[in-house]
Amino acid sequence: MASNSGNAKKQAFVGTFVHSKKLDELEYLHDTVVCVDPSGKIVAVERECDAKKAEQILFAKLGWDAADVQVHVCKEGQFFFPGFIDTHIHASQYPNVGIFGKSTLLDWLNTYTFPMEASLSSLSKARRVYTRCIRRTLAHGTTTAAYYATISVPSTSLLADLCLSLGQRAFVGRVCMDRLGPSYYLDESPEAALSATKASIEHIRSIDPNYDLITPILTPRFAPSCTADTMKRLGALQAETGLPVQTHISENVNEITLVRDLFPDSEHYAGVYDDCGLLTPKTILSHAIHLSEDEAELITARGSKVAHCPCSNSAITSGEARVRWLLDKGIGVGLGTDMSGGYSPSILEAARLACLVSRHLAMGDGKGGAADAATMMVQQVSAEERERAKLSVEEVLYLATKGGAAVVGLEGKVGGFEVGMEWDAQLVGLGVVGEVAEGKGVDQVEGEDEGNVDLFGWESWEDRVAKWLFNGDDRNTKRVWVRGRLVHSRV
Ligand code: GUN
Ligand code: FE
């Protein structure tokens, strides 16, 4: 098994660093040097510094010999940004991206999703799919992913092995579902779901004993496909192990009706999970579109978090999650691609869609059609409140990095450039349009393929980041590191 032992070198990164200071504020650190030790930890962030000064003063302060340090310097149009956190992604659905027709959640699951996931019990197919999924998401700057695999333990273990060897930080969940799936893709009993979950945890412990890079995550698919017995056993396992949990909640109106029918004794959808011990501070709830006030208050009280998946919510017409409302309640929110409910493996795409969906909320009733649980009436909200629904560039980039880190329990460890944090980062490069000689075309710096983002030189740093958010793609993600290890490079 290949190990992720970090880069095993001392490294210094030189240039401009952009990261979130708080929800609505990005910090721009120019002429800065960030030093990363061989374990992948940031050991110095020095302002007003360059490569030369670092060699003369900073390395000595750290007791480093300049000859041992690998130095990376930003070029014009480039900056370092924290790696993205995908708080909700189904690795096993990667082959289906873009294929959803006009389906909605429940028919989408039966038509596209369950057959694809079941087919990954073939390990050769799983290897192809998972390898491509990890490489593709790394290429889009995703340094941490909270993955759903499938119900197959060997196939889930393979996903964990591949994340470790390719160097992506990951939470890997073996999916539990013991009802309402096709007969060929179901756990046989609650006991079987639990013992398979434990086998998956054991495997991850055997390859990464301290969960430095890969962590198991308890994964009841969602309430409609799990019996209360299975969910209660998983809740007990969570209490015993302290492991994180991921599931779906309140994504689709028909799903909510189904939950009401299946769990008549629970107060509401969030109550079902709470009754099973699954609403914990380590729980990631995906979607959370149609929650009632009571449910949001319960989630706040339990400290559970939300993965906002605007691409998926739009593609399979689930609704518009009220991110501002969730944040106002004190609920931690991150972004998820929810591939392949979402058609894109890119968190940058999720971030720009989060911007757009928030504007749709502002243009509509402000609640995305979500009905009040008691009356089933859509409550009108004030024009002011609708305006507040809009998310800024700064806010969605916070959700993509620091916000996501808090959702997956890695707050203070990844998501920013501070001493003590790990170097999970991406080098972003934007096109710089050169002078045009008369009668000649426009050439970009060094002829690299810079994608759709053109800088003309007058843009402020805020403008540059906004241009990247709305027109950037993986061509702008030049290099990616996890725990100091280079895991993707286009240059
Ligand atoms: N609810 C239960 N399973 C799934 C899934 O695979 N994707 C989405 N988007 N919602 C779900
Ligand atoms: Fe999902």
Side-chain angles (χ1 to χ4, degrees):
M1 174 59 48
S3 74
N4 182 73
S5 53
N7 189 60
K9 273 185 237 117
K10 299 179 179 94
Q11 299 179 88
F13 299 87
V14 182
T16 293
F17 298 76
V18 183
H19 67 167
S20 292
K21 215 168 161 184
K22 51 191 174 77
L23 175 63
D24 57 358
E25 186 181 344
L26 286 170
E27 183 173 47
Y28 298 85
L29 303 168
H30 303 294
D31 304 316
T32 294
V33 177
V34 171
C35 295
V36 176
D37 76 7
S39 76
K41 266 218 170 85
I42 297 175
V43 291
V45 178
E46 192 79 2
R47 320 266 305 242
E48 293 175 34
C49 191
D50 58 19
K52 202 162 178 189
K53 267 197 206 162
E55 253 186 50
Q56 289 166 348
I57 305 164
L58 182 59
F59 296 166
K61 259 206 263 180
L62 294 169
W64 287 9
D65 182 340
D68 298 339
V69 187
Q70 195 176 50
V71 179
H72 312 256
V73 184
C74 278
K75 292 188 210 159
E76 201 191 346
Q78 295 186 337
F79 59 93
F80 295 102
F81 198 79
F84 290 136
I85 320 278
D86 191 337
T87 62
H88 182 70
I89 173 167
H90 299 261
S92 49
Q93 297 171 17
Y94 179 52
N96 274 345
V97 283
I99 307 171
F100 53 90
K102 288 188 176 175
S103 62
T104 53
L105 179 63
L106 300 177
D107 59 310
W108 171 80
L109 283 169
N110 285 313
T111 309
Y112 303 100
T113 307
F114 294 148
M116 175 57 70
E117 290 188 18
S119 75
L120 296 200
S121 58
S122 153
L123 289 182
S124 61
K125 182 167 181 185
R127 182 177 294 278
R128 275 178 88 200
V129 169
Y130 291 154
T131 300
R132 199 73 196 129
C133 168
I134 297 164
R135 286 197 191 285
R136 177 70 69 202
T137 51
L138 284 173
H140 281 278
T142 299
T143 49
T144 298
Y147 281 124
Y148 287 57
T150 71
I151 71 170
S152 155
V153 174
S155 163
T156 302
S157 298
L158 179 60
L159 175 59
D161 293 347
L162 291 167
C163 288
L164 187 66
S165 63
L166 296 171
Q168 190 172 50
R169 197 185 290 278
F171 295 81
V172 176
R174 183 266 174 201
V175 176
C176 293
M177 44 189 284
D178 63 341
R179 71 165 165 199
L180 284 183
S183 57
Y184 60 83
Y185 191 57
L186 271 185
D187 284 315
E188 276 173 17
S189 63
E191 291 82 359
L194 256 287
S195 70
T197 297
K198 285 181 179 168
S200 178
I201 295 168
E202 271 317 302
H203 177 77
I204 293 173
R205 227 210 313 245
S206 76
I207 60 167
D208 192 5
N210 298 318
Y211 303 152
D212 287 328
L213 201 72
I214 316 296
T215 307
I217 183 164
L218 307 178
T219 307
R221 178 170 211 120
F222 69 157
S225 67
C226 293
T227 57
D229 191 356
T230 290
M231 288 193 285
K232 281 184 179 157
R233 285 167 194 253
L234 288 170
L237 187 60
Q238 196 291 322
E240 188 188 317
T241 59
L243 286 173
V245 178
Q246 58 184 354
T247 190
H248 299 83
I249 196 169
S250 204
E251 177 177 3
N252 166 287
V253 174
N254 291 334
E255 169 209 12
I256 296 164
T257 307
L258 191 54
V259 170
R260 205 170 286 164
D261 292 346
L262 290 169
F263 298 91
D265 296 335
S266 290
E267 206 163 328
H268 36 51
Y269 201 155
V272 172
Y273 292 139
D274 197 43
D275 293 343
C276 297
L278 287 169
L279 271 196
T280 78
K282 291 192 164 181
T283 301
I284 307 170
L285 300 166
S286 300
H287 305 286
I289 300 170
H290 307 281
L291 294 178
S292 64
E293 291 284 338
D294 285 353
E295 288 180 290
E297 269 156 36
L298 176 62
I299 291 166
T300 306
R302 296 291 182 260
S304 302
K305 317 291 193 289
V306 165
H308 174 46
C309 306
C311 187
S312 168
N313 296 346
S314 303
I316 56 173
T317 38
S318 300
E320 295 152 328
R322 293 156 291 163
V323 172
R324 180 76 61 208
W325 177 76
L326 293 166
L327 292 170
D328 285 349
K329 300 266 177 211
I331 297 172
V333 181
L335 294 180
T337 56
D338 191 26
M339 226 173 57
S340 66
Y343 54 77
S344 170
S346 160
I347 282 291
L348 195 67
E349 176 82 7
R352 70 177 148 249
L353 289 173
C355 276
L356 294 188
V357 165
S358 73
R359 279 155 181 71
H360 280 278
L361 274 171
M363 290 185 283
D365 62 25
K367 287 204 157 187
D372 178 83
T375 60
M376 292 308 281
M377 297 284 287
V378 175
Q379 305 290 306
Q380 292 299 318
V381 299
S382 68
E384 238 167 74
E385 211 178 312
R386 280 183 315 196
E387 182 62 21
R388 275 196 73 243
K390 287 186 194 174
L391 297 172
S392 66
V393 166
E394 288 77 9
E395 287 174 324
V396 295
L397 289 173
Y398 174 92
L399 301 183
T401 54
K402 252 191 182 160
V407 166
V408 300
L410 295 175
E411 197 168 16
K413 191 166 180 180
V414 300
F417 301 123
E418 285 156 35
V419 171
M421 291 179 116
E422 304 203 354
W423 180 254
D424 283 24
Q426 51 186 315
L427 175 65
V428 178
L430 308 178
V432 178
V433 180
E435 288 302 316
V436 187
E438 224 178 294
K440 290 243 170 108
V442 176
D443 273 331
Q444 290 180 335
V445 168
E446 298 190 358
E448 283 171 12
D449 181 2
E450 307 285 359
N452 287 324
V453 188
D454 287 328
L455 299 182
F456 289 90
W458 48 262
E459 296 90 346
S460 66
W461 273 92
E462 287 78 5
D463 293 338
R464 292 180 195 202
V465 169
K467 282 187 154 191
W468 171 51
L469 173 67
F470 287 109
N471 272 313
D473 57 39
D474 53 335
R475 289 170 295 182
N476 304 107
T477 309
K478 302 300 178 190
R479 290 185 165 203
V480 181
W481 296 263
V482 176
R483 294 185 85 216
R485 174 181 167 190
L486 184 67
V487 290
H488 172 73
S489 178
R490 291 179 63 88
V491 289

